[in-house]
Amino acid sequence: MDASVFMSTPRPPAHSFRDLVVWRKAHEFVLAVYAFTAGFPRQETYGLALQMRRAAVSVPANIAEGFRRRGKAEKARFMNIAEGSLEESRYYLILAQDLGYGDTAKLIGLLEEVSRMLCAYVAAILTSGS
């Protein structure tokens, strides 16, 4: 059987960060974090909820900023910052779960998906011809 049967259809080049599937998934993660933290106790309004939101927002924001950067190293640097913010978000989700603020399984699943996509995007940037 021809191996091309298993290969996904090539996507057209992205013209904006909004065209990136990884950015869209990261944005979806942010919206889910906002919804999750809305149910936190009042005393966490300026504590854990704010920290979780800031870390989550940093992911698609750095993907967006890195998208317009010229050069592989510069693009990859912003994606690496996004990866760091994802790991920060991972810790906050563990903490929220341990504090009994809600079930974080769905958010962890989304985070894992974004993490895999971001890793693949960085690899594609670093191995591209441009």
Side-chain angles (χ1 to χ4, degrees):
M1 186 180 284
D2 186 358
S4 66
V5 172
F6 299 107
M7 297 173 70
S8 62
T9 336
R11 288 195 259 296
H15 298 290
S16 159
F17 66 85
R18 296 183 82 174
D19 295 335
L20 299 173
V21 176
V22 67
W23 178 86
R24 284 186 260 153
K25 276 292 175 187
H27 181 66
E28 182 182 328
F29 175 69
V30 172
L31 296 176
V33 165
Y34 266 74
F36 178 70
T37 57
F40 276 20
R42 185 177 163 93
Q43 76 266 16
E44 288 294 357
T45 302
Y46 299 106
L48 183 57
L50 183 61
Q51 288 296 107
M52 286 180 77
R53 288 175 175 191
R54 283 183 177 173
V57 165
S58 179
V59 178
N62 277 289
I63 293 169
E65 188 169 354
F67 179 79
R68 281 291 174 213
R69 295 296 172 150
R70 301 194 195 290
K72 293 179 189 183
E74 191 68 0
K75 284 181 180 291
R77 185 172 78 81
F78 279 90
M79 299 311 137
N80 185 246
I81 293 167
E83 288 172 317
S85 294
L86 262 181
E87 289 307 307
E88 183 180 356
S89 294
R90 183 187 310 275
Y91 168 67
Y92 293 145
L93 290 172
I94 291 166
L95 181 57
Q97 180 82 42
D98 290 350
L99 290 170
Y101 291 167
D103 182 15
T104 60
K106 178 186 170 223
L107 286 166
I108 291 284
L110 254 161
L111 182 145
E112 290 293 344
E113 186 177 9
V114 172
S115 181
R116 282 189 302 275
M117 294 175 88
L118 196 49
C119 185
Y121 185 48
V122 170
I125 289 168
L126 294 174
T127 59
S128 71
S130 53

